Amino acid sequence: MADFLRTFVAVKVEPSPALLHTMKDLQLALTGEPVKWVDPANLHLTLKFLGDTLPSQVDEIGEELNQVSKQFSSFSFQVEGLGFFKNKGIPRVLFVNIKDGEELQLIAAEIDNRLANLGFEPETRQFNPHLTLARIKFLKNKKGLYEAVEKYRDTFMQTAKINEIIFYRSVLKPEGAVYRELGKFRLYT
């Protein structure tokens, strides 16, 4: 049986001072809660989660991502306002919203189409660009989260400039996931 790699395709977001300040403020507001924060050095916006990937597929995926990158120019989007995803009524993912993310939608759709040809399941949910800040196991004080999110609901944090898409391997460790780049693909046109 082959050892699978856990992989995904993303764009990296270098956090601005405003975004870092927001993260620190949220961490203070949610002190004592079982929340797993994303390391600011690992902030990224996932375009497609591939999951189990055979090592023999890495080059093929890279070739497809290279073709995608040749179709798109550098672009930017706004990182603005907080939100959260719920699962069964319980907040599970704390994130920053993305405004002007049309280019992200187009790139994600192109990646989805191309990688479906390699056997990766096409995405059934609508692509919802967001920047995950934390994963929430459960909350002792939901009100604290709601107040923190409300405080930053419409706050502009930065403009993110994107010049490349990155193919990552995610290695799960007890202290959190470690991301290793399998390939970088510069946006060309």
Side-chain angles (χ1 to χ4, degrees):
M1 172 109 175
D3 286 333
F4 286 103
L5 308 177
R6 186 173 189 263
T7 67
F8 64 95
V9 182
V11 293
K12 187 158 181 51
V13 175
E14 295 297 336
S16 66
L19 180 53
L20 291 171
H21 170 77
T22 301
M23 288 182 77
K24 283 189 179 124
D25 196 38
L26 290 166
Q27 288 170 345
L28 279 173
L30 297 172
T31 298
E33 294 286 3
V35 174
K36 191 166 206 79
W37 294 94
V38 173
D39 180 336
N42 286 336
L43 281 174
H44 65 274
L45 191 151
T46 301
L47 297 169
K48 174 132 181 98
F49 180 76
L50 301 176
D52 288 343
T53 305
L54 288 167
S56 60
Q57 294 175 296
V58 168
D59 288 344
E60 278 183 310
I61 293 166
E63 288 169 25
E64 293 297 335
L65 294 175
N66 190 44
Q67 292 305 310
V68 171
S69 71
K70 290 177 180 176
Q71 297 175 38
F72 294 92
S73 324
S74 298
F75 64 96
S76 58
F77 55 82
Q78 310 310 309
V79 178
E80 179 179 325
L82 290 183
F84 54 87
F85 294 127
K86 290 183 175 183
N87 185 352
K88 298 180 181 163
I90 299 166
R92 294 292 185 197
V93 176
L94 177 62
F95 64 85
V96 184
N97 289 309
I98 302 301
K99 301 270 189 323
D100 304 322
E102 295 78 14
E103 201 76 6
L104 289 166
Q105 303 264 8
L106 295 171
I107 293 172
E110 184 64 20
I111 290 169
D112 203 40
N113 288 338
R114 285 184 168 273
L115 297 186
N117 296 332
L118 299 181
F120 291 95
E121 285 294 313
E123 192 55 60
T124 54
R125 297 174 296 182
Q126 181 178 345
F127 179 69
N128 183 358
H130 64 280
L131 197 57
T132 298
L133 299 181
R135 299 193 186 286
I136 302 165
K137 290 187 172 79
F138 66 90
L139 290 169
K140 296 176 260 184
N141 176 11
K142 283 187 196 164
K143 186 173 181 249
L145 173 71
Y146 297 148
E147 287 172 355
V149 168
E150 190 56 40
K151 178 179 177 181
Y152 291 102
R153 180 163 304 285
D154 299 313
T155 302
F156 171 81
M157 292 171 216
Q158 75 182 81
T159 297
K161 180 97 171 111
I162 303 301
N163 300 310
E164 63 192 3
I165 53 180
I166 304 173
F167 181 29
Y168 284 105
R169 175 181 182 188
S170 174
V171 180
L172 300 178
K173 300 199 172 213
E175 60 276 9
V178 175
Y179 304 130
R180 298 206 170 97
E181 291 177 7
L182 296 173
K184 283 184 176 183
F185 306 91
R186 265 193 103 56
L187 300 174
Y188 285 104
T189 56

